[in-house]
Amino acid sequence: MLRLTKQTDYALVLLSLIARNGASEMFTARDLARRTNIPLPMVSKILKRLGKEEILHSVRGASGGYRLARDPSEVSVAEIILTLEGPISITECSGESDTLCALECSCPVSSTLQRVNRAVIDALEGISIGDVAAPHHAASDPKPCSCTAPLIGAPGA
Amino acid sequence: MLRLTKQTDYALVLLSLIARNGASEMFTARDLARRTNIPLPMVSKILKRLGKEEILHSVRGASGGYRLARDPSEVSVAEIILTLEGPISITECSGESDTLCALECSCPVSSTLQRVNRAVIDALEGISIGDVAAPHHAASDPKPCSCTAPLIGAPGA
DNA sequence: TGCATACAGGACCAGATTGGTCCCAATTCG
DNA sequence: CGAATTGGGACCAATCTGGTCCTGTATGCA
């Protein structure tokens, strides 16, 4: 556990795909859906949200689409999470919650958990979409891989 | 977001309370519930689970209760999370999932996210219940604090 | 001008997760 | 024996979330 939502997971996949294929190129939701096997409506939903923030730039109309609003190296994973899931905090009281922790007095945990939380945030801020798109683990060019069937939403199996 | 479940949150509070009051002392679920304002059935549920793993030692019968099975410094936050929520992995494919990621081929993300995941785990493994119980941030002794009313499950407000 | 394509912004639903409660059996102490 | 306590469930209601769908608006092209 300690998990991102699937939407955020998808977002990272989509953004890294865009980042890998040139930051200035334009992608339609339909195209991205085809390439990732993520259901189109889901892709739309996510891209719309990323478009409202300053992460993606959208162009409407025929031959429209989305492209990165900034350089891939300037969009951190933490920012993606923040956009789609709100402030990063592993517990309710470890963030800058406006609602006071109900356990406050019996909870000496918070100060320590804030340190943990900080460590997590630092780790996530230290990684950009550019990093995600271009893994440095002796990456030969991304081999096409054998799984070509639409694995998500596949009706058959 | 990127949040622990409330149960895990509670567990950290409970364990830190136990650790703070002497690792060898015995606590009943009822007692801990009173002190933390966490609903008793919830406390029971959590302690039961921690008892099954080797985190708490339980004694049944009258004047029974729970105490830490190990030294507070030897129980990491990561272990608590692992016990209550399963393996720590921020996405489905970043862990040692047995179910293959459906996006596998179009997902160059994983290797990088595994690094992120590793960073998170490292941070959580580096902090023990002992640390949580005794924060080193110029801690004067834990002042009783003003909030004495049962804030959780309070019927009135 | 008309139409196809794409994004914008919702509402909406079903399933899964989770916080929380409750019940009953087994164990131990006085 | 009886009270106190853990053990191990089942159970429910509320929330969250993945996923779908519908309608409107902007744009490019024949």
Side-chain angles (χ1 to χ4, degrees):
Chain A
M1 274 298 175
L2 194 76
R3 182 159 291 176
L4 301 170
T5 65
K6 223 166 188 178
Q7 250 187 62
T8 310
D9 199 347
Y10 286 160
L12 291 174
V13 173
L14 292 169
L15 287 171
S16 76
L17 178 59
I18 295 176
R20 223 176 337 139
N21 285 274
S24 53
E25 192 177 337
M26 193 83 102
F27 294 85
T28 68
R30 178 180 307 273
D31 184 26
L32 290 171
R34 262 199 308 264
R35 293 215 215 176
T36 57
N37 293 326
I38 300 171
L40 172 58
M42 203 59 197
V43 172
S44 273
K45 192 187 218 172
I46 294 167
L47 296 180
K48 275 184 267 187
R49 295 189 64 187
L50 294 174
K52 286 180 71 174
E53 316 299 319
E54 302 194 340
I55 294 173
L56 288 178
H57 176 72
S58 66
V59 175
R60 289 163 74 146
S63 75
Y66 294 92
R67 63 176 167 78
L68 283 176
R70 281 177 273 157
D71 190 86
S73 66
E74 288 179 10
V75 181
S76 73
V77 170
E79 188 175 353
I80 312 298
I81 298 176
L82 180 66
T83 298
L84 295 179
E85 307 193 13
I88 298 173
S89 64
I90 60 174
T91 67
E92 287 185 28
C93 32
S94 64
E96 78 298 333
S97 67
D98 37 0
T99 70
L100 216 54
C101 173
L103 299 170
E104 191 190 6
C105 47
S106 57
C107 181
V109 172
S110 64
S111 67
T112 305
L113 280 193
Q114 273 178 13
R115 292 204 340 266
V116 180
N117 207 51
R118 190 70 245 167
V120 172
I121 293 177
D122 286 346
L124 294 172
E125 278 180 346
I127 298 198
S128 73
I129 286 297
D131 297 329
V132 175
H136 17 209
H137 65 315
S140 54
D141 49 350
K143 46 183 172 184
C145 160
S146 57
C147 66
T148 51
L151 291 163
I152 286 190
Chain B
M1 274 301 176
L2 194 75
R3 184 160 290 177
L4 301 171
T5 64
K6 223 167 188 177
Q7 251 188 62
T8 311
D9 199 347
Y10 287 160
L12 292 173
V13 173
L14 293 169
L15 287 172
S16 75
L17 178 58
I18 295 175
R20 220 176 339 138
N21 285 274
S24 53
E25 193 177 336
M26 193 82 104
F27 295 86
T28 68
R30 178 180 307 273
D31 183 27
L32 290 171
R34 261 201 308 265
R35 293 214 214 177
T36 58
N37 293 326
I38 301 172
L40 172 58
M42 203 58 195
V43 172
S44 273
K45 191 187 217 172
I46 295 167
L47 296 180
K48 273 184 267 186
R49 295 189 63 187
L50 295 174
K52 284 180 70 174
E53 316 299 319
E54 303 195 339
I55 294 174
L56 288 178
H57 176 72
S58 66
V59 174
R60 288 163 78 145
S63 75
Y66 295 91
R67 63 177 168 76
L68 284 177
R70 281 177 275 157
D71 190 86
S73 66
E74 288 179 10
V75 181
S76 73
V77 171
E79 187 176 354
I80 312 298
I81 298 176
L82 180 66
T83 297
L84 295 179
E85 307 193 13
I88 298 174
S89 65
I90 61 175
T91 68
E92 288 184 29
C93 33
S94 63
E96 78 299 334
S97 66
D98 37 1
T99 70
L100 216 55
C101 172
L103 299 169
E104 190 190 8
C105 48
S106 57
C107 182
V109 171
S110 62
S111 67
T112 305
L113 279 193
Q114 274 178 12
R115 291 205 341 264
V116 179
N117 206 51
R118 190 69 244 167
V120 172
I121 292 178
D122 286 345
L124 294 173
E125 280 181 344
I127 298 198
S128 74
I129 286 297
D131 297 329
V132 175
H136 18 209
H137 65 315
S140 54
D141 49 351
K143 48 183 171 184
C145 161
S146 58
C147 66
T148 52
L151 289 162
I152 285 188

